[in-house]
Amino acid sequence: MANEKSFMKALKCRECGHEYPLTATHVCEFDFGPLEVVYDYEAIRGSLTRASIESRPQTMWRYRELLPVAGEPTVGTQVGFTPLVKADRLAKRLGIRELWIKNDAVNYPTLSFKDRVVSVALSRAVELGFTTVACASTGNLANSVAANAASAGLKAYVFIPADLEQGKVVNSLVYGANVIGIKGHYDEVNRLCAEIAGKYGWAFVNVNMRPYYAEGSKSLGFEVQEQLGWRIPQHTVIPMASGSLLTKIHKSYQEFSKLGLVPNTKWKVHGAQATGCNPISAAQKAGLDFFKPVKPNTIAKSLAIGTPADGFYSLRVMKDTGGHCDDVTDDEIREGIRLLADCEGIFAETAGGVTVGVAKKLIASGKIPAEDSAVLCITGNGLKTLDAVANHVGQTREIRPSLREFEGLLEAEGAACKA
Amino acid sequence: MPAKAKKKAAKAAKSAAPKEERTRLWLMYPPKQITQPIIWQIAQKFKVVTNVRQASVTGEIGIVCLELSGLRPEVKAAIKWLVSLGISVEPVEINVVES
């Protein structure tokens, strides 16, 4: 790898194409459109090959040329390269020829895909000279910023709604982050956090560091292609909150294809949402290219964004690739979690239940043909959302320390067996 | 009042005075507000400067990207009024609070 070489060219407005220097900035001064990192693909072509990638450590940083850091990463160097599991039992249950699970439920260090975006944002923040980092979050992002900042010796501020469950707060407090609870409605908290981000000279990972932060999601797509044996999956089902993950996985397929690392085959990306917060899904199903904001009411809290920042762009990607979108109820989410756990031994958070539930619908309706192959993206660990399924997974059966009682229990269930 | 105290009081008054601020917002209008001249009304009702950067209007939703400048209490009041009309007022980053 060309160690201290940057392959980034500029930040570019996704709306008007205006270019900006590679600083901590995120919106275009002309039309307030979001900025995105652009790369020097010709230079990357000379540095990044299948052989060079395979020679590197198994982390997300093996694709460093396509990630927005100027030098070697300094934060989250062990993140990524999570398992891609061939899910034969689940494939049979869902009625599809071939199914794979990209399991970011075991991502390091905080068990969600957010470690990817945060390690990129913080590595870039260090390069730009920041010593304090911040985020506004209701869960996974807060945990990841707190943990990764601690490991890098950065000061962290984490803003959360004041009524957030104690369990989620502990997962950030334990790393020594400054956790600030803000009282008020989501909209008010949202506006205040944007204001704080604008006022203080911190690296706010999902505000002024957003162009870099969002690029981290591409690593999930790079890994999928390599782990599949250097090919793009026919279908990818992706949970959507802001919609950013979907657009970045699509971008990862475009980039590998453009660089000749994978054959240029057709792919479809499909979006998954909860029915209780489905602005993108509702728009896609209605054939609209814009979404209408909704008030979230779902157990899938990690997807509960009623006004998704990348909603418009994710709708466009699904349209361009011929992908579809659907949504599932809270009961279907729980069923999806259980199905994945029961068939593959993977315990996903509620967003994973959404992905499995929507995949089931898309396969049943033929939108993902039964003879095709699909990848489902599981983005977080079920241990983080125990409350959502606690009363829906059966109960323990208690007995006294007596073999007779145990055998009586088995007999009562019609499952008696002799050793 | 001694000159030194006067200077200190003037400084304190100055720091307590409302500050000029500039905020960047996405407004999303519900159908019943789409045809209303909301931007004109804001400038009539509040001492703020409005500067539209992008807009998209359909029969189902109106989306305006707006820069609002003025003294902080005026900007805050204008946002409160927009919200009272059922208009979604998001910072330009939209969902700053993520999961």
Side-chain angles (χ1 to χ4, degrees):
Chain A
M1 193 176 344
N3 278 350
E4 290 300 318
K5 186 172 179 190
S6 172
F7 294 89
M8 295 181 281
K9 279 168 72 177
L11 297 177
K12 187 175 183 178
C13 176
R14 285 163 87 173
E15 294 293 321
C16 70
H18 253 90
E19 291 199 356
Y20 294 85
L22 291 157
T23 58
T25 184
H26 62 297
V27 284
C28 176
E29 288 302 320
F30 289 86
D31 57 13
F32 297 165
L35 303 183
E36 188 171 44
V37 179
V38 286
Y39 299 86
D40 180 352
Y41 289 110
E42 278 313 305
I44 291 173
R45 204 185 298 275
S47 171
L48 195 68
T49 63
R50 286 186 188 181
S52 67
I53 292 169
E54 284 167 347
S55 71
R56 297 172 185 172
Q58 291 193 331
T59 73
M60 63 177 271
W61 294 104
R62 64 209 257 121
Y63 318 102
R64 204 275 281 168
E65 288 88 337
L66 290 165
L67 295 172
V69 288
E72 288 297 299
T74 52
V75 185
T77 52
Q78 302 300 316
V79 175
F81 220 77
T82 55
L84 182 73
V85 179
K86 189 154 187 289
D88 292 336
R89 279 167 49 77
L90 184 60
K92 199 171 175 185
R93 290 282 285 275
L94 298 187
I96 187 165
R97 178 180 60 81
E98 188 178 81
L99 194 66
W100 300 84
I101 303 294
K102 179 60 175 168
N103 188 12
D104 261 19
V106 292
N107 202 9
Y108 178 85
T110 65
L111 307 179
S112 92
F113 94 101
K114 293 287 185 185
D115 289 325
R116 298 177 183 276
V117 285
V118 168
S119 63
V120 170
L122 298 198
S123 288
R124 184 65 184 147
V126 170
E127 284 182 348
L128 293 174
F130 289 99
T131 53
T132 301
V133 299
C135 75
S137 167
T138 56
N140 288 329
L141 177 61
N143 302 165
S144 186
V145 166
N148 282 294
S151 75
L154 296 164
K155 192 172 183 181
Y157 279 87
V158 170
F159 297 92
I160 59 168
D163 57 357
L164 198 61
E165 301 92 310
Q166 190 60 21
K168 290 184 177 174
V169 180
V170 169
N171 281 336
S172 296
L173 282 172
V174 72
Y175 301 107
N178 297 287
V179 181
I180 316 290
I182 302 172
K183 294 173 190 166
H185 294 298
Y186 175 90
D187 291 356
E188 293 170 314
V189 177
N190 209 28
R191 287 197 295 271
L192 176 66
C193 290
E195 209 176 331
I196 291 169
K199 186 164 183 176
Y200 294 88
W202 301 338
F204 218 105
V205 298
N206 51 342
V207 183
N208 57 346
M209 297 305 293
R210 201 161 180 148
Y212 309 102
Y213 163 87
E215 287 285 286
S217 294
K218 292 191 308 186
S219 64
L220 190 149
F222 297 145
E223 290 173 17
V224 165
Q225 294 171 87
E226 181 183 351
Q227 289 168 316
L228 277 177
W230 299 106
R231 66 182 170 90
I232 302 171
Q234 285 177 292
H235 302 272
T236 312
V237 184
I238 304 159
M240 295 190 297
S242 71
S244 172
L245 179 62
L246 183 138
T247 64
K248 294 298 180 180
I249 288 176
H250 172 65
K251 187 176 177 185
S252 78
Y253 297 167
Q254 286 178 316
E255 288 182 333
F256 263 23
S257 177
K258 184 188 290 187
L259 292 167
L261 294 168
V262 294
N264 188 13
T265 53
K266 283 193 174 172
W267 69 84
K268 292 184 180 186
V269 290
H270 308 276
Q273 292 205 296
T275 305
C277 184
N278 65 348
I280 307 174
S281 169
Q284 198 273 343
K285 287 195 278 191
L288 304 174
D289 59 5
F290 58 88
F291 66 85
K292 293 183 221 168
V294 302
K295 293 277 177 212
N297 181 18
T298 170
I299 60 166
K301 302 289 183 203
S302 60
L303 302 182
I305 291 180
T307 313
D310 282 78
F312 166 75
Y313 300 106
S314 53
L315 282 165
R316 192 159 68 187
V317 165
M318 284 186 277
K319 192 176 180 183
D320 289 350
T321 66
H324 296 277
C325 196
D326 215 325
D327 50 75
V328 282
T329 64
D330 286 354
D331 283 342
E332 289 170 319
I333 293 168
R334 291 190 192 97
E335 189 196 330
I337 292 172
R338 291 201 63 179
L339 197 55
L340 181 62
D342 186 39
C343 293
E344 303 299 334
I346 293 170
F347 184 20
E349 65 158 23
T350 43
V354 169
T355 305
V356 173
V358 165
K360 185 180 174 184
K361 279 189 171 181
L362 295 178
I363 294 165
S365 65
K367 288 173 179 164
I368 296 180
E371 62 274 17
D372 282 3
S373 171
V375 171
L376 311 189
C377 297
I378 301 301
T379 51
N381 197 296
L383 295 173
K384 295 191 176 197
T385 54
L386 286 174
D387 289 350
V389 290
N391 297 318
H392 302 268
V393 289
Q395 289 182 324
T396 55
R397 288 152 293 170
E398 291 181 4
I399 56 170
R400 281 175 297 188
S402 150
L403 184 60
R404 195 183 333 174
E405 275 204 31
F406 177 62
E407 287 177 340
L409 184 143
L410 287 182
E411 200 172 329
E413 291 181 349
C417 59
K418 301 265 182 205
Chain B
M1 187 187 283
K4 201 174 176 186
K6 227 178 207 178
K7 201 173 171 186
K8 200 174 173 185
K11 197 177 173 186
K14 196 179 173 187
S15 66
K19 287 179 182 164
E20 185 85 17
E21 74 171 32
R22 203 166 57 111
T23 187
R24 300 173 297 190
L25 304 166
W26 280 102
L27 311 183
M28 297 181 206
Y29 296 33
K32 67 176 180 183
Q33 300 289 4
I34 289 171
T35 56
Q36 299 303 308
I38 303 288
I39 307 297
W40 177 81
Q41 286 178 323
I42 297 173
Q44 295 295 309
K45 285 178 179 286
F46 307 97
K47 285 185 179 170
V48 291
V49 176
T50 58
N51 185 357
V52 174
R53 298 301 186 90
Q54 278 193 61
S56 166
V57 180
T58 70
E60 295 184 74
I61 195 167
I63 304 172
V64 175
C65 192
L66 182 73
E67 186 177 63
L68 211 51
S69 312
L71 294 177
R72 187 176 172 81
E74 290 291 317
V75 171
K76 291 284 162 196
I79 291 172
K80 198 172 174 186
W81 177 73
L82 288 166
V83 172
S84 76
L85 296 178
I87 293 170
S88 162
V89 182
E90 301 280 346
V92 76
E93 298 83 8
I94 304 185
N95 49 266
V96 172
V97 183
E98 289 194 20
S99 67

